[in-house]
Amino acid sequence: MNVETIGLWAGAVWNALNDAKGTLNVKGLKKATKLKEKEVYAAIGWLAREGKVNVNENETEVEVNLI
């Protein structure tokens, strides 16, 4: 895993969120992007660091939406 690869995963997650026009949870992101769970979380971290997503955790899941 390298920075370039994580950046590509972040692009896939951003596109999935943009296409969904709303909030997706990690399961929805995995389905939409065909990424593994750890790859989705790496991408979410990348996008969060760039200030492009909000991440909300409730008791059962993590939800992500574009800012």
Side-chain angles (χ1 to χ4, degrees), residues 7-59:
L8 292 173
W9 297 337
V13 167
W14 189 93
N15 285 329
L17 290 167
N18 190 50
D19 291 346
K21 295 182 180 17
T23 301
L24 288 174
N25 60 21
V26 172
K27 183 177 178 180
L29 287 169
K30 285 174 52 181
K31 184 176 179 181
T33 62
K34 308 293 190 243
L35 295 174
K36 297 175 185 171
E37 188 167 336
K38 69 178 184 175
E39 296 167 346
V40 170
Y41 278 113
I44 291 169
W46 178 292
L47 293 169
R49 180 73 172 119
E50 289 186 339
K52 295 184 178 179
V53 294
N54 284 322
V55 181
N56 299 306
E57 183 178 5
N58 62 37
E59 293 178 15

